Amino acid sequence: QVQLVEFGGGLVQPGGSLRLSCRASGTLYSINPMGWYRQAPGKERELVATITTSTNTNYADSVKDRFAIFRDYNRKTVDLQMNSLKPEDTAVYYCNYNHFDTDCWGEGTLVTVSS
């Protein structure tokens, strides 16, 4: 069974940067995507970015050119580098691994963008 643990959330000022990291345990398959989703207060969970290989990534329009996703297959990690953060990026960020159409989730880490 795959377990996911997120690190790196916190408070950051608008325009700042933050890097989230997710570490997985269990058996992962490189063909299955990993990614980050987020849920803001009163809103539904939404996709932020997913990655299968270094050249196969997908980003929400709202974070393109600001966020970057990285995956290390050996270390079983997926990182999300977030730059030029905006107050509307405030949310709980969840790590995800899609195991042959079954979603595995971490518990989430809170990111607050505020001055």
Side-chain angles (χ1 to χ4, degrees):
Q1 184 176 356
V2 173
Q3 293 185 324
L4 305 171
V5 180
E6 301 98 339
F7 303 92
L11 174 65
V12 62
Q13 292 187 344
S17 298
L18 205 61
R19 188 175 182 104
L20 304 182
S21 184
C22 173
R23 183 176 297 253
S25 61
T27 301
L28 279 71
Y29 296 88
S30 60
I31 62 171
N32 291 337
M34 294 190 76
W36 289 90
Y37 290 70
R38 68 186 181 186
Q39 187 167 16
K43 295 188 177 181
E44 294 185 353
R45 192 172 297 188
E46 63 177 5
L47 178 145
V48 177
T50 61
I51 182 169
T52 304
T53 67
S54 61
T55 57
N56 188 358
T57 58
N58 181 43
Y59 293 92
D61 288 342
S62 59
V63 306
K64 280 181 181 177
D65 300 323
R66 298 191 298 123
F67 290 11
I69 189 168
F70 305 93
R71 183 173 180 176
D72 187 317
Y73 298 94
N74 292 327
R75 295 176 59 216
K76 299 182 183 180
T77 60
V78 59
D79 289 5
L80 184 70
Q81 177 65 41
M82 304 185 294
N83 301 321
S84 302
L85 282 161
K86 305 174 181 179
E88 51 264 42
D89 294 319
T90 295
V92 177
Y93 284 71
Y94 295 91
C95 181
N96 172 271
Y97 170 67
N98 186 266
H99 182 73
F100 299 110
D101 294 330
T102 298
D103 281 316
C104 302
W105 297 97
E107 293 189 352
T109 185
L110 177 63
V111 173
T112 302
V113 185
S114 175
S115 55

